[in-house]
Amino acid sequence: MALDLTEIRQQITQIDRNLLKLLSERHRLAFDVVRSKEVTQKALRDVEREQQLLQELVRFAENENYQLEPQYITQIFQKIIEDSVLTQQVYLQKKLNEQRERDIHIAFLGKRGSYSHLAARNYATRYQEQLIEISCSSFEQIFEKVQSGEADYGVLPLENTTSGAINEVYDLLQHTELSLVGELAYPIKHCVLVNGQEDLSQIDTLYSHPQVIQQCSQFIRELDRVHIEYCESSSHAMQLVSSLNKPNIAALGNEDGGKLYGLTVLKSGIANQENNITRFIVIAKNPVVVSPQIHTKTLLLMTTSQQAGSLVDALLVFKKHNINMTKLESRPIYGKPWEEMFYLEVEANINNPDTQAAFEELKQYSNFLKVLGCYPSEIVKPAKV
Ligand SMILES: O=C(O)C(=O)C[C@]1(C(=O)O)C=C[C@@H](O)C=C1
């Protein structure tokens, strides 16, 4: 005879509570690990150990006949390890940069419910701080708020896995005295949001931010003669659709934001690329010191001479010093037609003497060189098994 659903659910709830208790115990061990590594000065990340652990867990489950897919086990434990790495990182960073307040003012683009707002919320949660929200209407305003001291931090999107670099933010970085102090990846899950229960075929106008429209272009193309209304952010779009309260309009936004405006999801998973992730940067007035035990990135701004091969010569410096480059972007220089400003992101800590030697050497090949920031890489790439 089949068991009663209520009873089964009670068992599930109990098991989930037990899992939570174990997860909390494991989370707490991250503090013991980092305190031990503070003494030994060992690097926080040990990919070899992670690989061994993951392999061992898959083998263990198989031997015990737990009936769990290896991929399922790996994914869950990669997430658990990510939490452990970030917990350790935050612990060290908070100790090194003690000026952090409990209440932090963060400026971001758009209203509540924008992706930038959700990313800002994530950043504050990561550092266990109380977020005081400063919503801005342009990227430029975010820089101004941090410059004036009104905001402690600014959160800005820098690139997206579908639409690429966000040029406006790169261009603003060219002229700022502010520093990059952090990064975070936020998964973007666009959906169609409406006021009522209408059908997709009834929608004749879509409201959203140009970036969102671009990221959902394939889905939009398949719709019949739909008119696009560009908004300054996806949260503006959601608010507008909510207040207009018309049956034939929809906003492209996110589910959490939609809830804030009383909208319902008509269709989800509409982005061109399934793995749609935006990398956000965090800017502040003062640079942070990054522990040498942490995986660190540095963003440089550089111009080279106009001679042939000058960029190649500059890049060879990184090869010589065994510094991995994770990004190379170029942007035009305002007022200097056909000259380019290069943005180079490298896996290096500015306080490392080797990095300093490399940057010193780089000066020979560049007309202009500036460090925009050195920050902990808070994107934990999972260890492969
Ligand atoms: O064993 C360690 O050194 C840890 O820091 C713990 C841990 C884990 O959570 O299992 C986390 C990060 C390391 O990359 C390896 C493993």
Side-chain angles (χ1 to χ4, degrees):
M1 200 184 71
L3 284 176
D4 173 50
L5 181 62
T6 316
E7 269 174 43
I8 308 168
R9 285 186 175 169
Q10 275 167 0
Q11 281 183 44
I12 288 178
T13 306
Q14 195 49 52
I15 289 175
D16 288 350
R17 284 184 183 165
N18 293 344
L19 284 172
L20 273 183
K21 185 166 176 282
L22 290 172
L23 285 174
S24 160
E25 278 176 34
R26 198 195 193 284
H27 175 79
R28 266 182 270 147
L29 280 178
F31 293 98
D32 292 337
V33 172
V34 69
R35 278 191 280 265
S36 145
K37 286 183 183 171
E38 258 184 313
V39 179
T40 59
Q41 285 295 301
K42 223 173 153 305
L44 291 195
R45 196 95 198 263
D46 183 343
V47 176
E48 214 173 294
R49 159 70 183 155
E50 291 179 21
Q51 282 166 339
Q52 279 167 0
L53 186 60
L54 294 172
Q55 281 160 6
E56 206 274 324
L57 288 166
V58 168
R59 221 176 300 129
F60 182 79
E62 209 174 273
N63 292 342
E64 297 287 321
N65 199 19
Y66 282 168
Q67 307 280 317
L68 298 169
E69 286 285 329
Q71 205 196 354
Y72 174 71
I73 299 173
T74 309
Q75 276 175 358
I76 289 178
F77 281 90
Q78 279 169 339
K79 199 78 201 138
I80 293 171
I81 291 169
E82 179 188 282
D83 168 75
S84 170
V85 173
L86 291 176
T87 304
Q88 295 184 47
Q89 263 184 219
V90 167
Y91 173 91
L92 283 188
Q93 282 307 98
K94 282 186 105 167
K95 254 186 127 169
L96 264 175
N97 300 277
E98 272 168 4
Q99 76 274 18
R100 279 177 177 277
E101 304 283 338
R102 275 215 54 80
D103 285 349
I104 51 168
H105 295 73
I106 306 189
F108 53 84
L109 182 72
K111 296 170 178 296
R112 300 199 72 212
S114 67
Y115 287 109
S116 295
H117 170 231
L118 301 174
R121 223 167 47 168
N122 257 25
Y123 188 74
T125 312
R126 189 173 289 176
Y127 283 89
Q128 291 132 35
E129 277 149 355
Q130 201 63 42
L131 165 66
I132 298 171
E133 297 158 1
I134 303 180
S135 118
C136 297
S137 56
S138 67
F139 290 139
E140 202 170 0
Q141 198 185 13
I142 300 176
F143 278 79
E144 283 164 12
K145 294 275 183 200
V146 181
Q147 189 67 54
S148 70
E150 212 179 306
D152 303 298
Y153 299 102
V155 167
L156 300 131
L158 190 67
E159 59 185 322
N160 174 274
T161 49
T162 311
S163 52
I166 292 143
N167 292 336
E168 202 185 329
V169 176
Y170 271 111
D171 290 345
L172 284 163
L173 285 172
Q174 242 180 64
H175 307 288
T176 189
E177 288 306 312
L178 303 174
S179 286
L180 248 90
V181 297
E183 66 164 4
L184 75 156
Y186 193 86
I188 303 296
K189 292 187 176 146
H190 298 316
C191 53
V192 185
L193 297 146
V194 288
N195 274 302
Q197 300 286 318
E198 47 272 286
D199 195 82
L200 208 51
S201 60
Q202 289 172 266
I203 305 297
D204 61 25
T205 313
L206 284 178
Y207 291 76
S208 205
H209 186 265
Q211 284 280 340
V212 181
I213 301 288
Q214 193 185 340
Q215 289 166 14
C216 302
S217 59
Q218 285 164 13
F219 164 78
I220 295 171
R221 225 172 288 137
E222 280 165 23
L223 297 176
D224 249 355
R225 277 171 305 175
V226 61
H227 172 71
I228 308 283
E229 283 287 339
Y230 292 103
C231 304
E232 64 183 67
S233 69
S234 54
S235 43
H236 272 92
M238 292 186 282
Q239 193 193 34
L240 203 62
V241 166
S242 167
S243 61
L244 288 172
N245 201 12
K246 288 201 287 185
N248 52 343
I249 60 168
L252 300 190
N254 65 85
E255 191 174 350
D256 283 340
K259 276 187 200 143
L260 292 172
Y261 298 103
L263 300 177
T264 49
V265 176
L266 187 61
K267 190 168 171 56
S268 51
I270 57 163
N272 298 353
Q273 205 172 306
E274 209 182 302
N275 242 342
N276 190 9
I277 303 166
T278 294
R279 183 160 77 112
F280 287 88
I281 52 164
V282 183
I283 53 166
K285 229 173 179 173
N286 297 313
V288 281
V289 183
V290 187
S291 160
Q293 293 170 268
I294 291 178
H295 178 213
T296 310
K297 286 183 184 166
T298 297
L299 187 66
L300 295 166
L301 191 59
M302 180 181 86
T303 57
T304 56
S305 72
Q306 294 289 295
Q307 280 153 14
S310 55
L311 177 64
V312 175
D313 287 340
L315 298 184
L316 282 173
V317 173
F318 293 121
K319 185 176 182 200
K320 183 180 153 198
H321 287 266
N322 203 17
I323 292 176
N324 189 32
M325 192 171 73
T326 48
K327 192 104 222 148
L328 173 63
E329 286 286 339
S330 72
R331 292 290 305 148
I333 304 174
Y334 184 74
K336 289 189 179 174
W338 317 120
E339 286 191 36
E340 295 287 315
M341 184 67 93
F342 296 106
Y343 295 80
L344 299 118
E345 190 180 55
V346 288
E347 292 182 318
N349 191 323
I350 188 90
N351 290 317
N352 182 325
D354 278 348
T355 309
Q356 285 167 5
F359 288 3
E360 206 47 51
E361 217 174 304
L362 199 60
K363 283 184 186 161
Q364 292 173 30
Y365 304 101
S366 54
N367 292 338
F368 169 82
L369 184 69
K370 185 182 167 194
V371 173
L372 289 175
C374 172
Y375 40 94
S377 170
E378 299 190 16
I379 299 167
V380 182
K381 279 203 197 122
K384 299 243 178 336
V385 261

